[in-house]
Amino acid sequence: MNAQCSNVSAWGLCWCVCSGTITFPSLSLNFGLNSRVLMFLGQLERLNGEAMLADAEIARQITAKILHLIQTQGENTKPLYLPNVVNNTQHLLTVGGGRRVGVLVSKGGTGILLQMLLSASKEWPPSEELMLQLHSVLAKVGPKDRKFGVKARLNGALNVTVNLLKQNLQNPKLLLPCLQVLRVYSSNSVNAVSLGKNGLVELMFKIIGPFSKKNTSLLKVALDTLGALLKSKTNARRAVDRAHVPVLLYIYQDWHRNDTRHRHMLIRKGILGCLKNITNIKLGRRAFLDADGMRILYNTSTECLPVRTLDPLINTSSLIMRKCFPKNRLPLPTIKSVFHHQLPHIPAGGPVAQLYSQPPGVDDVVDESDDNEDAEAENDTENEEDKDLHAQNDDIETDISKLRPRETPSRPFEELKIYERFFLELSEDFQGFNFDNPKAAVIDPVTAPKSHCSITVPTAQGLPPKYPTTAPLQGERHLAKDAQPPRLTGVVCPRRGGVGEESPVEEGAEEDGDEGAVLEVPDTALLLPLHDPDLYVEMVKSTRSVPQYSQVAYPDYFGHVAPTFREHILERVYGVQRTKIFQDIERLIHPNDILDKVVYDLDIQSSPVVDDGESLKFNSQFESGNLRKAIQVRRYEYDLVLNSDINSNHYHQWFYFEVSGMCVGAPYRFNIINCEKSNSQFNYGMQVLMYSVQEAIGGRPRWVRTGADICYYKNHFSRSSIAAGGQKGKSYYTMTFSMTFNHKDDVCYFAYHYPYTYSTLKMHLQKLEALRTPQVYLRQDILCETLGGNGCPLLTITAMPESTSNDQICQFRNRPLVFLSARVHPGETNASWVMKGTLEFLMGTSPLAQSLREAYIFKIVPMLNPDGVVNGNHRCSLSGEDLNRQWQSPSPELHPTIYHTKSLLQYLTAIQRAPLVFCDYHGHSRKKNVFMYGCSLKETVWQTNISATSCDLHEDLGYRTLPKILSQIAPAFSMASCSFVVERSKEATARVVVWREMGVQRSYTMESTLCGCDQGKYKGLQIGTRELEEMGAQFCVALLRLKRLTCPLELRNHAHLLDVESDFIETRCKVTSPSTYVLEDEEHSFMEEVDYSAESGDELEHEPDVADTHDNHLSDSESNSQRDALT
Ligand SMILES: [Zn+2]
């Protein structure tokens, strides 16, 4: 007991919050409380005597009983003691600060105070002094008590304060604490509705007003309260109906004009906060536009730009303007893919059926954001936390029967028997096999040309007259030395190892002028053993695309030599997004500055390219190309629209297009305006890729990371809810980047990630075949034909037996199988580069490679979705579906590659040869590093917190070994990012189906970042093809280690690899949140700290210290959101 407490104890009731306990030390009998109160107080005191050991629950119960008694007492006699108590409490809290308030709250003090308030309000007239004191205390306690609003409502205290306010509008002394309490009340959404009904919105509008140096603290609190009230749609509507939107805009301008020394930032921000909440409803946005809000906020923001401390105002203004920017549909006749592919049949349900049954005009955008909503919908949102909690675990599979491997074979063996022909190695006896000429083992080369169409290198069209247009590549090879070669200048000097040391600016097209020069293909044979331009063109001829492409893009033709310089993850420049958004808003403010000139349009298929020599020239009519439309907005700014996946109306993310006709040194800005994901690694340092033909012929044929001022944000384009598949008018996002070109007459290509076409795969496979050594057993089969008529390659790689001795053949046939696949998602080209690394390693001559081949039989489907790749899709096959969601029951007609790949695995399972490892390579657009997803019953159950059942589950932990090895040997790989939880949304993916139906314990998805690494040797660097290929090779090395570890003798020495307990703890906390939107699910659910979408946290708020010192104490939620924004 300290001195302070003993002083006040004479008054009777005292919360001794300084020592963390509640005491009622010597309640005098003068107050007439009966002996029962004394008894309880005695109990409480004894409890508190045991200091911190006191059971809080008992203390709370006793407090409640006392409270009850005080109440009963209060009804009978005038509660004389109240003012003193309140006074003392207030005094204590003032002295003690936050911790004391916290203790008071934890001991149930809020309830007592609210009861006192009620008791006091029953006096008539209420004592002004007492009300003032009570509100002052409540204003301090409220922000510390998360349930304050609820308690106040349940106690019936809300209207006490509202009524007091109504009667004391001219009494600033009482007004301030009342407003402070109301501010806390209003932060509860149910309270906000109720307070609005009682006229609090109108009251606030009576208090706030134009610039004045008086009562600024009061004004600030009123604005905060109003802002909180306006979060309720009913209140927002009320404010719009009474024409308060122009009032707010007027007041804002007035403060903007008069607060020249920026001392009242918080007030200005408070006004914007009200506007921000009102404009959450459609009526509010309309009122804002009618009141010329766009121009007003644009102008005030522009004037604020030079003052850094005003950033919060600019950011909030920008948020409001973006929200109110009238929604537009995309500048397209329809958002359905520009290309159509007739399906053998339309699937009975699902997205494609829906697409085909859509009425015309579904693309049309109306502002649907608050249609059909009514006041009831707002009530009872008090369980928000609980909801969040549930939502987090929503996607995790909780049905244990679904998690247990299914034992029974799903198909009769007779049906699977036809797949025997893909497993010749399992019965191969090599009788009559000529070991001196082992290439005879090869059957079915994938790449036999099927047709001989005319192929053109595309971009010569874009070159000035001295470069003859297009190079028809009919029949056999040419390009360089035929009668009409495209003549690009430049001498090609492939330099081993040294290629790429120079900055890309150094050399270039200056050496034009030599009329006689011919196009020299960079001689990359030494650097790129698997690349051959002529072979590439041959491969293209047999590739079938829906648009029947007849052009070849230079990068695919020349090949890509990975640069040797480092490409760092970009630091985000402050204010970039804001600048870009303001430029977008200017389109509305200054419509006359906008050109709106269509320069490329695939919807006009006869002549998509517009070329008047004044604009950039675009093209994407080549394999994997994706650009639907280009619109010149300003002289150096272009809006680009991507095509949907075929038989779909969305999945825009992958892009690959060509640009020519550029001005050297001009600051071009490109905006891809129909991105769909809510966030992107483009916000976290990822750059686009560019390939310059001039650089290539100058000896640097390569993709480089490029682009400045890159950012990704929600824009004003959207689609109707029907078109969006039932989701309320979904908005699109803009990915913007700026670019200056270094070479005149260049042809440049831009891509989302390093392109890797189907023709490239075929070329690589053929080269691998040619480079094969006699030790390698390689078979290439065509697993099946795709919907588009392309072959799906299946590779078998293992070591040749040394002889035909029984032992050798037996060992050969009985090697465990490893099954690998990649590129089910066409936009994830990184998966193909990883696969290339794997294939090259497997076919290599190193002793490790030989050991690996001797250890396993590899079955590889390197491209599960050739059609998607060929046609520039991002996610789907020609059936308009995500093939990695079809593994549960693939259709042989609509999903042939999945159907037959699954059949191979079913066949293996049926003959008791299920693979030791299954791994499907993917790319990940929202996370850094390379990592794996696996399947664990136990870890899944663990995440769902059904601990009761988890103890009797037995599971071999072997599924962790491979990722663990990878984390030790592969620099890009991160164990911390791995997850072994089975989610419901993934139940039809390869990984889960192979695990559950085939019983393959080591069934994985390996995800490679599209961006870069934030750990390990490559920390801070963007990922390139070299690192991706290395990853593929390291995967092989890891398999070799796995082999050794699965040998019991070795296991003892590697026990640390199986030290999973610590890993469990590591990963346990990372529960991935659900993602219902199909685009976002494989690419997780992972959002980095900052959300750049328009609805939330868009403002990086930096509250300056200079602001309103009178009212420096922010409510909890305010200070939290600031902290969050700053982290
Ligand atoms: Zn994927």
Side-chain angles (χ1 to χ4, degrees):
M1 192 59 42
N2 66 26
Q4 199 175 22
C5 288
S6 38
N7 281 340
V8 294
S9 66
W11 297 102
L13 198 53
C14 154
W15 282 279
C16 182
V17 285
C18 34
S19 66
T21 55
I22 294 179
T23 52
F24 299 83
S26 61
L27 197 74
S28 155
L29 285 170
N30 297 349
F31 293 108
L33 290 177
N34 62 33
S35 55
R36 289 181 62 205
V37 178
L38 279 175
M39 185 185 74
F40 285 127
L41 288 172
Q43 278 183 19
L44 203 58
E45 210 170 348
R46 275 197 298 282
L47 260 178
N48 289 325
E50 290 155 42
M52 291 309 176
L53 294 173
D55 184 342
E57 194 45 44
I58 298 175
R60 222 167 275 139
Q61 282 169 11
I62 297 172
T63 313
K65 284 175 186 165
I66 296 169
L67 175 63
H68 176 74
L69 289 169
I70 290 172
Q71 240 180 304
T72 354
Q73 173 82 11
E75 277 161 16
N76 301 331
T77 59
K78 194 166 174 160
L80 285 171
Y81 53 90
L82 264 179
N84 293 328
V85 170
V86 175
N87 192 19
N88 293 331
T89 314
Q90 192 189 358
H91 177 62
L92 271 175
L93 295 178
T94 314
V95 176
R99 197 175 143 265
R100 289 183 177 184
V101 178
V103 173
L104 179 66
V105 169
S106 74
K107 298 293 182 185
T110 312
I112 295 175
L113 286 168
L114 288 167
Q115 281 298 325
M116 288 176 177
L117 178 63
L118 271 185
S119 308
S121 72
K122 285 172 187 155
E123 303 296 314
W124 193 260
S127 147
E128 186 181 318
E129 187 56 25
L130 178 58
M131 282 301 183
L132 181 63
Q133 285 176 4
L134 271 171
H135 279 95
S136 302
V137 176
L138 286 168
K140 292 199 169 64
V141 172
K144 298 286 176 192
D145 185 351
R146 293 181 58 208
K147 297 281 178 194
F148 187 70
V150 184
K151 289 176 186 167
R153 185 173 70 249
L154 297 180
N155 278 304
L158 295 185
N159 284 332
V160 173
T161 309
V162 176
N163 291 334
L164 195 67
L165 193 73
K166 282 180 182 162
Q167 290 145 18
N168 289 281
L169 275 177
Q170 303 309 322
N171 179 358
K173 198 174 152 209
L174 192 58
L175 213 50
L176 183 61
C178 282
L179 280 172
Q180 286 169 333
V181 172
L182 284 167
R183 172 168 66 180
V184 191
Y185 287 167
S186 312
S187 64
N188 173 289
S189 53
V190 183
N191 288 356
V193 175
S194 156
L195 290 166
K197 270 184 202 146
N198 285 315
L200 194 59
V201 175
E202 283 305 309
L203 280 176
M204 289 305 110
F205 274 105
K206 281 183 186 153
I207 295 170
I208 64 168
F211 179 78
S212 154
K213 286 184 178 168
K214 281 186 207 153
N215 293 326
T216 52
S217 333
L218 197 73
L219 188 54
K220 167 68 174 64
V221 187
L223 282 165
D224 286 351
T225 310
L226 182 58
L229 290 170
L230 292 172
K231 279 186 183 163
S232 140
K233 287 174 180 172
T234 325
N235 289 342
R237 216 171 294 132
R238 194 170 281 131
V240 175
D241 289 345
R242 314 238 166 120
H244 286 315
V245 173
V247 172
L248 283 170
L249 282 166
Y250 168 76
I251 296 177
Y252 182 68
Q253 285 184 101
D254 195 59
W255 280 87
H256 172 80
R257 268 195 294 271
N258 292 297
D259 180 27
T260 46
R261 296 175 61 194
H262 312 309
R263 301 176 66 104
H264 302 291
M265 249 274 300
L266 287 180
I267 288 178
R268 291 159 71 180
K269 185 148 188 301
I271 305 170
L272 289 178
C274 295
L275 282 166
K276 180 176 132 187
N277 291 340
I278 287 189
T279 49
N280 279 338
I281 64 166
K282 190 175 16 175
L283 276 175
R285 291 191 288 275
R286 200 176 297 149
F288 177 84
L289 289 174
D290 290 347
D292 207 17
M294 289 297 262
R295 193 178 300 275
I296 291 170
L297 289 198
Y298 176 82
N299 289 341
T300 50
S301 302
T302 317
E303 285 163 26
C304 289
L305 276 173
V307 188
R308 180 75 178 252
T309 50
L310 299 181
D311 277 358
L313 301 182
I314 302 169
N315 292 338
T316 310
S317 298
S318 135
L319 190 84
I320 298 167
M321 287 188 279
R322 289 168 67 189
K323 213 165 24 175
C324 296
F325 203 111
K327 291 279 175 204
N328 273 335
R329 54 175 290 171
L330 288 171
L332 299 172
T334 167
I335 57 171
K336 287 177 199 165
S337 169
V338 73
F339 303 118
H340 177 74
H341 179 80
Q342 191 63 47
L343 295 176
H345 64 85
I346 308 291
V352 186
Q354 199 189 358
L355 189 75
Y356 275 84
S357 62
Q358 271 174 5
V362 294
D363 295 355
D364 287 332
V365 172
V366 282
D367 187 344
E368 295 160 325
S369 54
D370 57 323
D371 286 349
N372 308 321
E373 120 248 305
D374 35 36
E376 300 93 80
E378 297 190 324
N379 281 331
D380 263 320
T381 43
E382 231 136 64
N383 300 327
E384 264 163 20
E385 303 152 47
D386 302 344
K387 263 189 245 158
D388 287 349
L389 210 66
H390 287 299
Q392 272 204 321
N393 292 324
D394 236 11
D395 195 33
I396 295 177
E397 185 59 76
T398 50
D399 180 351
I400 295 199
S401 67
K402 284 192 166 180
L403 290 169
R404 288 192 196 279
R406 196 160 76 193
E407 298 296 337
T408 47
S410 46
R411 289 167 68 187
F413 185 65
E414 286 313 302
E415 220 180 289
L416 294 167
K417 232 175 160 264
I418 54 161
Y419 293 94
E420 197 176 343
R421 69 188 178 93
F422 295 108
F423 297 95
L424 297 178
E425 69 283 359
L426 301 182
S427 57
E428 183 71 78
D429 59 9
F430 294 93
Q431 294 309 312
F433 177 75
N434 180 0
F435 277 84
D436 298 327
N437 182 19
K439 293 211 176 192
V442 178
I443 49 165
D444 255 352
V446 175
T447 45
K450 287 178 189 163
S451 63
H452 286 268
C453 53
S454 147
I455 304 297
T456 314
V457 176
T459 54
Q461 298 161 351
L463 300 178
K466 63 177 173 156
Y467 304 113
T469 58
T470 70
L473 298 185
Q474 270 132 358
E476 290 307 292
R477 70 147 303 194
H478 55 257
L479 188 69
K481 295 177 180 72
D482 277 4
Q484 290 185 309
R487 292 172 306 170
L488 291 170
T489 55
V491 180
V492 179
C493 36
R495 279 152 288 182
R496 280 188 96 171
V499 170
E501 292 296 352
E502 315 82 355
S503 104
V505 196
E506 240 173 65
E507 295 173 50
E510 290 83 52
E511 346 68 340
D512 48 22
D514 182 0
E515 293 288 318
V518 294
L519 173 71
E520 287 278 355
V521 178
D523 179 7
T524 53
L526 287 171
L527 292 165
L528 301 173
L530 300 189
H531 192 86
D532 176 349
D534 298 329
L535 182 59
Y536 185 76
V537 173
E538 278 309 305
M539 295 299 110
V540 171
K541 286 175 188 169
S542 61
T543 296
R544 300 203 176 164
S545 61
V546 171
Q548 298 186 307
Y549 291 135
S550 59
Q551 302 178 11
V552 176
Y554 274 114
D556 304 317
Y557 177 71
F558 286 163
H560 159 68
V561 178
T564 49
F565 49 82
R566 302 172 136 215
E567 296 178 298
H568 291 270
I569 291 173
L570 283 196
E571 283 282 325
R572 197 184 158 92
V573 181
Y574 181 82
V576 167
Q577 176 178 294
R578 196 170 73 189
T579 312
K580 301 291 169 184
I581 287 165
F582 272 71
Q583 287 175 12
D584 290 356
I585 291 166
E586 279 162 28
R587 296 186 190 191
L588 201 71
I589 310 277
H590 307 296
N592 293 336
D593 296 352
I594 300 305
L595 299 174
D596 242 337
K597 174 179 164 191
V598 177
V599 296
Y600 182 67
D601 190 356
L602 273 189
D603 284 287
I604 309 168
Q605 294 210 3
S606 52
S607 59
V609 185
V610 177
D611 184 15
D612 56 6
E614 293 189 351
S615 309
L616 286 179
K617 216 175 117 186
F618 291 84
N619 182 24
S620 70
Q621 294 174 287
F622 44 78
E623 190 174 343
S624 292
N626 189 333
L627 177 66
R628 179 171 186 164
K629 191 166 190 170
I631 303 160
Q632 186 174 15
V633 183
R634 298 181 176 96
R635 183 159 178 216
Y636 293 123
E637 184 177 349
Y638 292 83
D639 279 356
L640 309 177
V641 185
L642 304 179
N643 191 27
S644 318
D645 284 5
I646 290 174
N647 276 321
S648 139
N649 66 5
H650 64 133
Y651 303 107
H652 320 105
Q653 192 169 349
W654 166 256
F655 57 86
Y656 184 15
F657 58 87
E658 173 202 291
V659 174
S660 55
M662 58 282 279
C663 301
V664 174
Y668 286 99
R669 176 183 168 185
F670 297 100
N671 314 305
I672 294 175
I673 59 169
N674 62 340
C675 301
E676 289 168 282
K677 290 202 173 192
S678 57
N679 202 349
S680 162
Q681 284 288 327
F682 284 120
N683 274 333
Y684 305 100
M686 182 166 89
Q687 291 178 287
V688 299
L689 284 149
M690 188 190 78
Y691 192 105
S692 151
V693 171
Q694 292 287 10
E695 284 289 315
I697 58 184
R700 293 169 297 279
R702 65 198 176 195
W703 287 100
V704 287
R705 297 279 187 171
T706 195
D709 295 351
I710 299 174
C711 62
Y712 187 95
Y713 56 88
K714 187 177 274 192
N715 63 28
H716 60 278
F717 293 105
S718 73
R719 54 193 158 144
S720 71
S721 52
I722 311 171
Q727 293 154 330
K728 253 185 188 179
K730 232 179 145 58
S731 285
Y732 290 106
Y733 292 77
T734 291
M735 194 287 282
T736 182
F737 64 98
S738 300
M739 183 65 216
T740 48
F741 296 98
N742 295 318
H743 303 295
K744 197 164 146 265
D745 302 330
D746 203 355
V747 177
C748 290
Y749 292 80
F750 290 97
Y752 179 61
H753 198 74
Y754 302 90
Y756 190 105
T757 65
Y758 172 62
S759 300
T760 302
L761 173 72
K762 290 192 293 181
M763 172 183 72
H764 285 164
L765 294 183
Q766 203 158 101
K767 293 293 269 187
L768 279 172
E769 177 85 62
L771 296 170
R772 182 166 73 93
T773 60
Q775 288 77 39
V776 184
Y777 178 99
L778 165 71
R779 220 178 54 240
Q780 298 199 31
D781 296 302
I782 296 291
L783 176 62
C784 60
E785 205 166 75
T786 63
L787 286 179
N790 292 300
C792 177
L794 167 69
L795 310 185
T796 306
I797 302 173
T798 186
M800 289 294 285
E802 279 167 28
S803 71
T804 54
S805 74
N806 261 353
D807 281 1
Q808 284 286 329
I809 298 293
C810 187
Q811 194 275 341
F812 173 86
R813 289 182 188 177
N814 287 301
R815 291 169 188 164
L817 280 110
V818 170
F819 205 114
L820 306 177
S821 59
R823 208 70 191 281
V824 70
H825 295 140
E828 296 163 5
T829 56
N830 42 1
S832 278
W833 291 97
V834 176
M835 183 53 87
K836 176 174 183 265
T838 296
L839 291 174
E840 267 187 287
F841 184 91
L842 275 181
M843 295 295 293
T845 51
S846 71
L848 276 181
Q850 180 61 20
S851 308
L852 190 60
R853 290 189 296 261
E854 285 166 4
Y856 299 109
I857 296 168
F858 286 87
K859 285 283 171 190
I860 301 175
V861 184
M863 195 172 273
L864 278 168
N865 188 359
D867 289 346
V869 171
V870 170
N871 293 295
N873 281 7
H874 175 68
R875 186 82 181 178
C876 300
S877 74
L878 289 187
S879 76
E881 293 161 299
D882 180 343
L883 289 181
N884 205 30
R885 292 294 179 279
Q886 312 301 329
W887 276 75
Q888 274 182 330
S889 46
S891 147
E893 291 83 34
L894 292 173
H895 326 111
T897 60
I898 303 303
Y899 178 83
H900 293 292
T901 306
K902 184 176 178 183
S903 298
L904 293 179
L905 287 153
Q906 285 173 322
Y907 173 79
L908 284 173
T909 311
I911 62 164
Q912 311 287 313
R913 294 293 301 270
L916 179 76
V917 172
F918 171 85
C919 188
D920 191 21
Y921 294 179
H922 284 254
H924 205 292
S925 68
R926 312 228 287 182
K927 287 174 87 166
K928 295 197 167 72
N929 310 314
V930 181
F931 50 93
M932 274 179 157
Y933 293 132
C935 306
S936 158
L937 172 62
K938 207 162 186 169
E939 294 191 38
T940 305
V941 169
W942 208 350
Q943 291 285 15
T944 58
N945 299 321
I946 316 170
S947 46
T949 47
S950 65
C951 46
D952 60 351
L953 298 172
H954 296 288
E955 189 174 42
D956 185 338
L957 295 166
Y959 62 89
R960 278 184 164 262
T961 321
L962 187 61
K964 191 86 191 183
I965 297 169
L966 280 169
S967 72
Q968 291 174 356
I969 63 172
F973 195 90
S974 159
M975 190 71 190
S977 307
C978 295
S979 166
F980 303 93
V981 173
V982 180
E983 287 143 314
R984 287 202 190 95
S985 62
K986 308 291 175 57
E987 66 177 6
T989 62
R991 158 176 68 102
V992 177
V993 169
V994 172
W995 171 69
R996 200 163 78 85
E997 295 188 21
M998 325 290 167
V1000 176
Q1001 185 203 11
R1002 295 179 178 87
S1003 178
Y1004 307 103
T1005 300
M1006 186 161 79
E1007 304 272 354
S1008 303
T1009 179
L1010 290 154
C1011 175
C1013 295
D1014 59 11
Q1015 51 83 48
K1017 192 170 109 191
Y1018 303 134
K1019 184 174 179 177
L1021 299 179
Q1022 295 184 75
I1023 207 152
T1025 55
R1026 182 177 289 121
E1027 292 76 31
L1028 292 166
E1029 291 183 47
E1030 178 196 62
M1031 188 63 231
Q1034 294 291 8
F1035 184 83
C1036 295
V1037 176
L1039 285 172
L1040 198 57
R1041 287 213 190 166
L1042 180 71
K1043 170 77 183 175
R1044 293 182 181 146
L1045 282 173
T1046 45
C1047 160
L1049 276 178
E1050 292 263 350
L1051 190 58
R1052 246 174 287 147
N1053 302 326
H1054 294 79
H1056 63 282
L1057 280 172
L1058 292 169
D1059 175 23
V1060 292
E1061 287 306 318
S1062 57
D1063 291 335
F1064 269 163
I1065 294 154
E1066 239 172 71
T1067 51
R1068 178 120 196 247
C1069 332
K1070 314 176 297 174
V1071 182
T1072 47
S1073 64
S1075 41
T1076 43
Y1077 184 35
V1078 65
L1079 257 181
E1080 269 156 20
D1081 46 15
E1082 188 67 45
E1083 283 69 22
H1084 266 278
S1085 47
F1086 180 86
M1087 288 284 277
E1088 296 198 31
E1089 309 77 73
V1090 191
D1091 176 9
Y1092 288 92
S1093 63
E1095 264 80 22
S1096 53
D1098 197 27
E1099 334 144 67
L1100 287 161
E1101 300 176 71
H1102 302 271
E1103 299 283 1
D1105 299 327
V1106 293
D1108 225 329
T1109 44
H1110 299 292
D1111 191 44
N1112 243 348
H1113 85 270
L1114 299 164
S1115 74
D1116 253 6
S1117 58
E1118 281 171 320
S1119 37
N1120 277 339
S1121 68
Q1122 278 181 32
R1123 228 174 294 131
D1124 292 348
L1126 292 169
T1127 47

